Amino acid sequence: MTEENFINKAKASGIIALDLSEYKPTTEIVELDIKDHLFMGMIVKEKEFKESIAVVDFSIYNEKAVGIICSTDAIIPPWAYMLIMEKLFPYASYVDLNNAETILLDLWKRRLIYADLKRYKNQKVVVRASTSHDPALYLLAAGLLKPLVKTLMYGEIGLPKVIFKQ
């Protein structure tokens, strides 16, 4: 068989691939542990807490996504979170009461939700498989693509698993 007779069946199929990795956030995500500002690492004493927060250089969080955590079982009053947010507000690009892993997933989902997916309208689309992606991303992608695409698949262009066809 000569090169001119070779047909790339994957290319000829007209299937378009959507790679969820393209929507992964690039923002650095860090955690701020409230425990470091508690009396004995366990108790919120208002005066001491405010003094401890007042000496923090919050500019280190500039343009970063910040996950507020407490690595102890301390009971944190809501005003303490508000105080921390007030300090982070001028710097952090995103703040939530979650660990870094959860924030990464939330930001990733947000980028996917706001993505312009018009290029997939009435197309045969395969969402590329990756074991490193959270299944919640595939769930979201299916929900976003279902009203747009003619055919939705999972895997790779050469051997996709059909999810639905119109």
Side-chain angles (χ1 to χ4, degrees):
M1 182 179 247
T2 64
E3 204 171 295
E4 303 90 54
N5 295 338
F6 179 75
I7 297 171
N8 184 335
K9 289 184 180 182
K11 197 173 191 177
S13 70
I15 297 173
I16 301 172
L18 175 111
D19 188 345
L20 294 173
S21 297
E22 293 175 15
Y23 300 94
K24 186 174 183 178
T26 56
T27 305
E28 183 181 352
I29 302 169
V30 295
E31 292 178 350
L32 188 159
D33 193 346
I34 289 181
K35 171 192 71 92
D36 301 334
H37 304 284
L38 303 179
F39 178 72
M40 297 175 42
M42 290 292 295
I43 302 166
V44 178
K45 285 186 156 185
E46 184 174 355
K47 182 180 178 204
E48 289 85 347
F49 185 79
K50 286 180 176 180
E51 288 171 353
S52 178
I53 294 296
V55 298
V56 174
D57 177 11
F58 283 92
S59 69
I60 63 170
Y61 299 105
N62 196 41
E63 297 301 314
K64 295 177 183 174
V66 181
I68 307 297
I69 64 164
C70 186
S71 58
T72 63
D73 281 338
I75 297 171
I76 310 297
W79 64 261
Y81 296 118
M82 293 173 71
L83 182 65
I84 290 172
M85 184 61 197
E86 188 274 326
K87 300 293 186 186
L88 284 169
F89 184 78
Y91 304 107
S93 61
Y94 181 84
V95 180
D96 199 0
L97 190 59
N98 269 313
N99 62 32
E101 185 179 320
T102 302
I103 287 178
L104 172 64
L105 182 59
D106 288 347
L107 292 175
W108 202 334
K109 287 163 58 175
R110 183 181 288 197
R111 287 193 69 188
L112 196 53
I113 287 167
Y114 292 109
D116 182 5
L117 302 176
K118 287 184 223 144
R119 66 182 167 182
Y120 300 111
K121 189 167 178 70
N122 297 320
Q123 300 294 320
K124 295 187 269 182
V125 177
V126 63
V127 179
R128 285 220 158 105
S130 174
T131 55
S132 65
H133 296 343
D134 191 291
L137 294 170
Y138 291 98
L139 180 73
L140 178 60
L144 294 171
L145 293 169
K146 173 85 167 107
L148 292 175
V149 303
K150 183 166 51 173
T151 304
L152 180 63
M153 296 165 277
Y154 167 84
E156 293 300 325
I157 290 175
L159 191 60
K161 176 176 285 302
V162 176
I163 304 301
F164 88 90
K165 277 185 178 182
Q166 280 187 338

